[in-house]
Amino acid sequence: MSRIILCVDMDAFFASVEQRTRPFLKGKPIAVIVSAKRTVITTASYEARKYGVKTGMNIHEAKKVCPQLILVIGDNEKYAYTCRGLERIYLGFTPDVEVYSIDEAFLDITSSHHLFGNPEAVGIEIKREIKEKFGIFCTVGIGPNKLIAKLAVDLNKPDGLRWIKPDDVTGILEDLPVKELWGIGQKISAILRTMGIKTCGELGRTPLSILRNRFGIIGIRLKAMGLGLDDSHVTREEEEPKSIGHSMTLPRDIGDRREIHAYLLRLSEMVGRRARRHGLMGKVISLVIRYPDFETFSKQKTFREYTDDTHVIYQSVIDILNSLRLRDKIRLLGVSLSTLTRDPLQLSLFKESRRRKSLLQTMDRINDRYGDFTLIWGSYKIQEVDSGVISPAWRPSGVRCVNVK
DNA sequence: TCTGGGGTCCTAGGACCC
DNA sequence: TCTGGGGTCCTAGGACCC
């Protein structure tokens, strides 16, 4: 039996929440940013989009196209709170809810839509409840799979509702540029263009062997996408994370090792703390560096033992850093922990390690209570920086809830 | 006074082992 | 005398997403 998948996507989520909670911003061109400096637009309100303000634009560009633009530093707590409320609304329609990101969710309503009349009735009701409870708008797309539901959303933003029925899929895809599909970005669409493939219709008709030769495994998926097929499921449970990482663009380019170390300590603590909070340990530690000219590279090291210890992470990235010959100052630093496990057998049972563990737990409790970075190792001063982490890729709960105060 | 930060998945080459 | 081949792990980088 064919499935009925519904995708809900908030319209200009962060900006809408700000306009709702700070009424003087209502109806004005605003943009949500993370910090005051060296940043890009995270979300622009529709009033700002009219002028051409887009996500990813730097502030100066945005101000140029829209001089009256109001910049608002985002508040992650507010968005996470709203997102949790949205999830409760969705769960009133089906237990099969996948919170895909902070502002987007998939619902499998195959077996529940009858209770509300039909799929469109579900969409109308969801939009109404969200408007009523949170005063913000969203777009709902309904289709036979996630790919088409998502497409239905993208084609009808903002404040839209669209049901693409199975029989309509082929017709809609025929002249649709491949770039519109979820999963086909700049690079792949450029390559497809050189192959003479511009529309989804053409993509679907391209022999599998040609796509496989050019793209490998991805070619198989591309062919399916061109035909509007997608058998991925709405996954209710959050999957085990594969990595935990933090990075930051420094307030200015920095060459001084001492200063670099201070930032690395901070990042290591953010990573270690999040791992400990969720009972995860990892054995691959990596350091990411971006030079002022934007060249970005990473170096990683695999260890025999798993760790969640801030100091072990910190020492590892310092070792990696010391193995490098930097050719310039540094613009961005990143630290991440991967190849994760939550298997207690991986926990070393040596006494030393147990003592360390209880020390870490005590420090975490103090930091939980009095604020992050109240207590931390080392003699390096922690830099005062804008530490608002705002990422649309968040989840409202679990490991991917990145709430750093 | 250019260009964020959180992830996932895939590839390709080299080391190493049998 | 000429240079196997399968497998796994590790590393670095790239494409894509929100």
Side-chain angles (χ1 to χ4, degrees):
Chain A
M1 190 182 77
S2 98
R3 297 179 297 155
I4 298 181
I5 308 298
L6 186 146
C7 178
V8 192
D9 193 311
M10 296 305 119
D11 301 328
F13 184 54
F14 295 168
S16 303
V17 171
E18 293 302 334
Q19 287 177 321
R20 172 68 178 178
T21 53
R22 297 152 87 168
F24 63 94
L25 297 174
K26 212 173 162 66
K28 303 217 172 93
I30 76 162
V32 175
I33 54 174
V34 181
S35 61
K37 282 178 147 184
R38 302 186 116 192
T39 189
V40 299
I41 305 293
T42 302
T43 314
S45 68
Y46 279 90
E47 295 85 355
R49 292 184 196 200
K50 272 192 294 213
Y51 293 89
V53 179
K54 291 194 181 96
T55 295
M57 251 184 189
N58 69 55
I59 294 173
H60 311 104
E61 234 179 316
K63 279 274 191 186
K64 204 155 70 185
V65 297
C66 178
Q68 67 273 47
L69 184 68
I70 301 170
L71 297 171
V72 178
I73 293 186
D75 176 354
N76 47 22
E77 297 280 357
K78 253 193 292 200
Y79 314 140
Y81 168 81
T82 307
C83 184
R84 281 188 286 266
L86 293 173
E87 187 179 6
R88 278 193 294 278
I89 292 177
Y90 306 146
L91 288 170
F93 295 89
T94 171
D96 296 319
V97 174
E98 175 178 347
V99 178
Y100 183 76
S101 73
I102 192 100
D103 72 342
E104 195 172 358
F106 288 100
L107 283 64
D108 189 329
I109 55 167
T110 307
S111 43
S112 63
H113 68 86
H114 309 282
L115 302 172
F116 307 92
N118 57 56
E120 271 168 320
V122 174
I124 290 168
E125 188 54 22
I126 286 177
K127 283 170 66 76
R128 194 192 62 75
E129 276 194 43
I130 292 176
K131 181 74 180 50
E132 184 184 301
K133 291 206 172 103
F134 295 101
I136 58 177
F137 293 93
C138 66
T139 296
V140 169
I142 304 166
N145 56 48
K146 288 162 85 172
L147 179 77
I148 299 301
K150 173 77 173 155
L151 178 65
V153 164
D154 293 342
L155 296 179
N156 293 278
K157 280 203 145 283
D159 194 22
L161 170 67
R162 172 84 177 274
W163 181 13
I164 299 181
K165 297 179 186 169
D167 288 346
D168 302 333
V169 171
T170 311
I172 287 169
L173 292 181
E174 183 55 34
D175 295 320
L176 187 79
V178 291
K179 181 83 181 37
E180 300 288 317
L181 287 180
W182 186 38
I184 299 184
Q186 212 84 55
K187 295 293 163 91
I188 290 178
S189 61
I191 296 170
L192 287 171
R193 198 159 47 239
T194 66
M195 296 167 71
I197 301 165
K198 290 192 208 68
T199 67
C200 297
E202 291 162 351
L203 181 60
R205 284 188 293 274
T206 306
L208 182 58
S209 57
I210 292 178
L211 293 170
R212 266 204 77 139
N213 275 339
R214 187 63 189 77
F215 296 99
I217 287 182
I218 293 171
I220 299 170
R221 168 114 182 99
L222 288 175
K223 169 87 179 174
M225 288 167 79
L227 297 170
L229 303 173
D230 171 21
D231 56 13
S232 66
H233 283 94
V234 172
T235 51
R236 210 189 313 183
E237 270 117 56
E238 202 180 330
E239 288 180 24
E240 281 290 349
K242 307 274 195 302
S243 69
I244 292 176
H246 285 281
S247 62
M248 66 190 301
T249 294
L250 308 176
R252 60 181 202 294
D253 300 334
I254 292 175
D256 180 67
R257 290 265 169 170
R258 288 261 154 175
E259 262 188 283
I260 292 168
H261 289 190
Y263 284 109
L264 288 177
L265 180 59
R266 185 193 181 91
L267 290 164
S268 301
E269 167 68 354
M270 289 164 76
V271 170
R273 191 119 178 278
R274 188 141 66 95
R276 296 193 293 277
R277 188 175 284 158
H278 296 98
L280 292 162
M281 301 173 74
K283 63 171 184 169
V284 177
I285 292 170
S286 58
L287 171 67
V288 181
I289 287 177
R290 174 172 295 157
Y291 286 126
D293 66 7
F294 246 72
E295 185 197 306
T296 308
F297 65 98
S298 65
K299 197 164 156 74
Q300 68 183 51
K301 199 158 157 36
T302 301
F303 294 87
R304 231 170 320 161
E305 307 219 342
Y306 286 86
T307 189
D308 60 4
D309 186 325
T310 294
H311 204 66
V312 172
I313 297 168
Y314 172 64
Q315 200 50 59
S316 306
V317 293
I318 293 294
D319 290 345
I320 293 172
L321 178 69
N322 288 338
S323 72
L324 261 29
R325 261 193 45 220
L326 299 176
R327 65 159 170 82
D328 201 346
K329 288 182 176 179
I330 291 175
R331 179 189 174 88
L332 168 144
L333 285 170
V335 172
S336 90
L337 185 66
S338 55
T339 312
L340 302 175
T341 182
R342 59 172 78 247
D343 182 357
L345 290 177
Q346 301 292 349
L347 281 162
S348 173
L349 295 172
F350 295 113
K351 210 202 263 168
E352 185 56 33
S353 167
R354 274 214 306 272
R355 222 179 307 162
R356 181 103 199 148
K357 192 107 200 148
S358 88
L359 173 62
L360 283 165
Q361 282 167 355
T362 305
M363 290 182 67
D364 286 348
R365 270 199 301 276
I366 291 170
N367 287 328
D368 279 340
R369 183 147 169 202
Y370 298 106
D372 285 321
F373 308 113
T374 300
L375 262 187
I376 192 161
W377 281 280
S379 51
Y380 301 117
K381 184 175 171 285
I382 290 294
Q383 307 293 315
E384 282 306 319
V385 290
D386 300 309
S387 56
V389 179
I390 295 192
S391 166
W394 282 348
R395 302 284 180 87
S397 59
V399 189
R400 282 179 64 189
C401 178
V402 184
N403 262 337
V404 182
K405 281 173 217 99

